[in-house]
Amino acid sequence: MTVERPDHSQVMLSAIQPTNRITLGNYLGAIRNWVKLQAQYQCYFFAVDLHAITVRQDPKQLLEDTYTAIATYLASGINPDECVLFVQSHVAAHSQLAWVLNCFSYMGELNRMTQYKDKSSKSGKNIPVGLFTYPALMAADILLYDTNLVPVGADQKQHIELTRDIALRMNSVYGDDTFVTPEPFIAPSGARVMDLQNPTKKMSKSAENEKGSLFLMDSPKQMQKKIKSSVTDSGSEVTYDDNKPGVKNLIDLQVALTGRTASEVVADYQGKMYGHLKADTADIIVSELEPLQKKVLQYLDDRGELQRILTKGAGAAAEKAAETLKRVYDRIGFVGL
Ligand code: TYM
């Protein structure tokens, strides 16, 4: 029997903003797929603290949230011996390439970004410039590592398309092999987990109503309560239907966590009320997250080990990033040393 061995010639990369608490959406839309795919690729996973400061952060909280993000990656099963695991601000090339890409991004295209529109509408009169140029930094994150695949939730697709546009634009000026053009990977389930209180909006770390978001470190009781009080509708029949976004979201959560199809899940609830669907969904979520929480806390308890992993990751990431940055600088016509 031949065993297929990956050659690791393809690169997979992804990241999460260490702002507030990581949600079930971040886990299902991103981290879980990183874990599933990691063995097939050369992987880079990191916490984007430079992106986080596009909105005001409390310094102590940002520090804790960054460690927690890394601990969550590890607890979910990311292997630090196989993958490069790091913090964005440890690799200066991210900021350096971001400047270059800023000069090749257009106001019009940045203005069209949904995440910018959402976040700037909450910023009042003084919208930080970083919020506007955020996608150029994200493009730098991706392009520095000659990335082929970027596993993300559906909301990040637009940023990856923009990354491709910027890469192709620069390739047409400086040569086709300046940048590798990345593809998004959006999983068939879990790519758009909706807010429990407002199921037509995506679940978010910074939702106004905390009851709408399930955080990975919520206690089992909090999770049960949030699912129980999730908004459904005035009906009672469990069907998978766009007109029942709250019920659909709960079914989607079961699909993402169990691997069953939506119709299989629906079949379980014939003649049963929404309460049954809610109770089972909560149980499935708790049984997935409880063991994960224990591991996150264990990793957080050993800061020395986290620091060791991050130091190693920063070294490996910086090495690769410096090569790409040099290639770009040379092509642009910057004097080398
Ligand atoms: P962030 O921190 O908002 O989200 C992290 C990841 O979680 C996914 N996600 C969701 N998936 C399903 N349902 C949801 N409700 C949900 N909410 C969030 C996101 O799609 C993402 O995959 N700009 C990025 C971070 C970033 C990045 C990068 C990602 C910076 N540089 C380079 C990939 C590659 C962001 O704000 O993600």
Side-chain angles (χ1 to χ4, degrees):
M1 194 179 83
T2 52
V3 179
E4 233 182 87
R5 289 200 186 283
D7 63 3
H8 285 126
S9 61
Q10 298 269 304
V11 174
M12 178 166 81
L13 169 147
S14 201
I16 287 185
Q17 289 193 65
T19 44
N20 297 318
R21 287 155 288 167
I22 292 179
T23 65
L24 184 63
N26 300 135
Y27 179 70
L28 293 178
I31 304 175
R32 219 176 47 137
N33 301 314
W34 309 353
V35 176
K36 283 189 192 158
L37 295 169
Q38 66 179 332
Q40 298 165 47
Y41 292 85
Q42 165 64 54
C43 297
Y44 294 86
F45 299 120
F46 48 113
V48 286
D49 51 354
L50 297 172
H51 277 102
I53 61 164
T54 51
V55 295
R56 285 282 176 278
Q57 300 295 335
D58 171 69
K60 278 202 188 109
Q61 195 60 48
L62 178 60
L63 198 73
E64 272 319 295
D65 289 343
T66 306
Y67 279 121
T68 305
I70 299 293
T72 306
Y73 299 176
L74 291 163
S76 306
I78 295 296
N79 179 351
D81 297 322
E82 295 288 338
C83 304
V84 180
L85 202 56
F86 66 104
V87 171
Q88 187 187 33
S89 64
H90 289 162
V91 183
H94 288 249
S95 308
Q96 292 169 297
L97 185 64
W99 172 254
V100 173
L101 300 185
N102 266 326
C103 299
F104 287 83
S105 309
Y106 300 143
M107 303 281 282
E109 59 193 0
L110 293 178
N111 222 354
R112 280 197 295 275
M113 294 295 115
T114 309
Q115 185 168 310
Y116 169 69
K117 287 190 211 158
D118 277 359
K119 290 198 173 173
S120 59
S121 68
K122 292 178 193 150
S123 294
K125 261 202 328 241
N126 294 323
I127 301 167
V129 176
L131 206 52
F132 186 65
T133 60
Y134 175 116
L137 177 59
M138 177 159 164
D141 295 343
I142 297 170
L143 298 178
L144 273 176
Y145 299 93
D146 294 336
T147 304
N148 304 100
L149 197 70
V150 189
V152 283
D155 63 320
Q156 292 300 316
K157 188 162 174 246
Q158 198 184 28
H159 286 156
I160 296 164
E161 279 163 1
L162 179 65
T163 302
R164 286 173 60 85
D165 290 345
I166 299 170
L168 290 171
R169 186 173 302 149
M170 287 193 70
N171 283 359
S172 74
V173 179
Y174 298 110
D176 278 348
D177 55 351
T178 306
F179 288 125
V180 171
T181 43
E183 297 284 343
F185 172 86
I186 294 164
S189 70
R192 200 166 162 77
V193 176
M194 307 310 274
D195 188 286
L196 298 172
Q197 290 297 317
N198 190 352
T200 53
K201 278 178 57 187
K202 70 161 187 170
M203 183 182 285
S204 148
K205 297 187 206 101
S206 49
E208 276 151 37
N209 183 355
E210 286 217 344
K211 281 184 2 196
S213 298
L214 264 184
F215 300 109
L216 289 196
M217 299 306 280
D218 278 348
S219 69
K221 242 199 187 136
Q222 280 171 314
M223 292 190 215
Q224 314 261 18
K225 211 166 150 194
K226 284 182 184 178
I227 296 281
K228 199 171 166 200
S229 62
S230 66
V231 168
T232 43
D233 54 64
S234 55
S236 61
E237 201 191 340
V238 175
T239 54
Y240 191 71
D241 185 338
D242 284 340
N243 296 322
K244 291 172 168 275
V247 172
K248 186 166 182 265
N249 192 32
L250 297 178
I251 297 169
D252 280 335
L253 284 172
Q254 287 207 21
V255 168
L257 284 159
T258 63
R260 299 169 76 216
T261 63
S263 36
E264 283 168 348
V265 175
V266 168
D268 285 351
Y269 298 100
Q270 290 322 294
K272 293 188 184 164
M273 313 287 274
Y274 291 162
H276 293 100
L277 173 69
K278 288 182 173 179
D280 290 347
T281 308
D283 284 348
I284 292 169
I285 293 171
V286 168
S287 54
E288 170 96 4
L289 296 188
E290 239 184 341
L292 183 80
Q293 295 181 342
K294 289 201 182 98
K295 290 192 203 151
V296 173
L297 294 175
Q298 279 165 6
Y299 278 108
L300 281 175
D301 242 8
D302 191 351
R303 296 294 159 113
E305 173 65 358
L306 284 182
Q307 213 67 42
R308 191 191 63 74
I309 291 170
L310 291 181
T311 305
K312 183 173 143 230
E319 201 175 305
K320 172 66 189 168
E323 272 172 31
T324 310
L325 188 68
K326 175 159 182 358
R327 182 171 78 225
V328 175
Y329 276 11
D330 285 349
R331 290 187 183 199
I332 290 176
F334 290 169
V335 173
L337 280 177

